[in-house]
Amino acid sequence: MQIMKSLSEIKKGCELPEFHKMVSQAEILEYAIASGDFNRIHIDGEYARRVDFKGTIAHGMLLLGFVESMHTRYFGDLWSSGGSLDVKFKRPVHPGDIINIKSLVSSVNIGPNDVTIFCDVKADNGCDTILTGIAKLNIKREDSPSN
Amino acid sequence: MKTGEILPPVELEVQPEWLHYYYQAVGSSYPASNNSAVPATAIAGKALMELLEPLNLPSGVVHTQAVVESISPANIGDKLFCEGVITSVVKRIGIEAMTVRITVKSSNYRDLLKAEMTFKLPGQQAEQG
């Protein structure tokens, strides 16, 4: 279900509904099966501790999946033909961590044929920043919901 | 592995079997019907692993940066063509990092998504996920 009703509601300073989630080892394993990424730092706690982590860590692409999910929920199908994410992973996420993702509209550029929305994205685990980046959505005029 | 190295292209089918696990992992918010757009991150992650397989990267590789651009949606059952190139290999004291750029195309060679991923290779103090 798309939350955004029309482009006119998107303004600089708007905040998308926050995303909160506790990451579990089961979800990390499911992501490993989905992607084929069975790197031992994701599934073998003993190995992960040997290479300086507290235990297994979530895949970066799983975290990116959460960020994409949040934006897809808000922007709907528009996201699949014009959405992009550019993020840096700052700290590892371990099973049991609760992550909070925020996305704030930083600018809306209105062109003759399209509209581009930029959002500052930041995620934390309650203490530390785990991810920062930019989400961008380019909407062609013919695709846009009523203005 | 070196800058400019082209990875062997791979074909990928968007199969409900692996997609099911992706939806389970990310959450149940996506409607997984055959007509739904498949999340670009699901395809990018899968394509990346298929493309990197020949490199036999060691365990302990961590993802430090990711860019994923959705150009056009893919659907369940689609056959996709994935291409990749190593755009950067950086080796400094205590740091080794690699960046890979991938392009995923539809069966009629229309671009569906582009992505760029940077990894830190093991052998130094790991930090990210």
Side-chain angles (χ1 to χ4, degrees):
Chain A
M1 192 183 80
Q2 177 180 322
I3 294 172
M4 182 184 74
K5 298 288 186 286
S6 83
L7 269 179
S8 60
E9 72 188 59
I10 308 291
K11 292 188 170 53
K12 181 179 176 180
C14 285
E15 212 169 320
L16 272 61
E18 287 186 22
F19 182 99
H20 306 281
K21 182 166 183 60
M22 180 160 61
V23 179
S24 71
Q25 184 60 47
E27 288 158 345
I28 295 171
L29 185 58
E30 283 160 348
Y31 184 79
I33 296 169
S35 64
D37 183 351
F38 290 94
N39 184 332
R40 290 170 66 192
I41 56 172
H42 303 305
I43 57 174
D44 181 343
E46 195 177 314
Y47 175 82
R49 282 187 285 278
R50 278 212 310 272
V51 291
D52 287 344
F53 293 109
K54 286 192 307 190
T56 58
I57 63 171
H59 303 75
M61 288 300 286
L62 173 59
L63 306 179
L64 197 66
F66 296 144
V67 176
E68 185 184 42
S69 168
M70 174 188 186
H71 288 84
T72 303
R73 202 172 297 156
Y74 190 79
F75 293 111
D77 288 342
L78 293 170
W79 188 262
S80 63
S81 49
S84 65
L85 298 169
D86 182 346
V87 305
K88 286 184 177 157
F89 304 106
K90 300 288 192 183
R91 293 188 69 83
V93 170
H94 300 279
D97 285 355
I98 296 173
I99 61 167
N100 313 295
I101 308 174
K102 295 178 182 177
S103 183
L104 183 76
V105 176
S106 57
S107 69
V108 180
N109 296 350
I110 301 171
N113 301 313
D114 62 356
V115 176
T116 307
I117 300 162
F118 292 88
C119 302
D120 290 330
V121 178
K122 193 170 179 181
D124 66 60
N125 60 7
C127 300
D128 300 306
T129 300
I130 56 165
L131 173 157
T132 59
I134 293 169
K136 184 176 92 173
L137 175 61
N138 180 260
I139 305 168
K140 305 284 179 239
R141 283 286 182 192
E142 64 268 25
D143 296 336
S144 67
S146 55
N147 294 313
Chain B
M1 97 198 136
K2 56 181 192 264
T3 302
E5 182 177 339
I6 295 172
L7 304 171
V10 294
E11 281 186 35
L12 180 67
E13 186 173 345
V14 185
Q15 294 172 328
E17 290 78 15
W18 61 260
L19 205 50
H20 164 78
Y21 285 104
Y22 179 86
Y23 286 122
Q24 291 275 108
V26 171
S28 57
S29 56
Y30 285 110
S33 78
N34 282 356
N35 297 321
S36 305
V38 173
T41 50
I43 295 170
K46 183 81 172 169
L48 183 70
M49 293 316 298
E50 300 269 346
L51 286 163
L52 291 181
E53 197 180 1
L55 296 181
N56 277 322
L57 294 176
S59 280
V61 170
V62 290
H63 214 147
T64 59
Q65 196 164 356
V67 179
V68 176
E69 180 189 0
S70 310
I71 299 165
S72 190
N75 300 107
I76 294 171
D78 286 356
K79 282 195 168 54
L80 311 176
F81 298 96
C82 312
E83 300 167 344
V85 61
I86 298 173
T87 57
S88 164
V89 178
V90 176
K91 292 179 186 175
R92 291 194 201 116
I93 299 169
I95 296 176
E96 185 169 3
M98 175 182 75
T99 302
V100 177
R101 189 168 60 221
I102 69 172
T103 305
V104 177
K105 298 170 185 282
S106 66
S107 55
N108 57 3
Y109 292 98
R110 185 176 171 201
D111 285 353
L112 298 180
L113 73 86
K114 293 185 181 207
E116 192 163 87
M117 315 285 182
T118 302
F119 305 92
K120 187 154 68 177
L121 304 178
Q124 53 280 320
Q125 193 174 9
E127 192 182 81
Q128 286 86 7

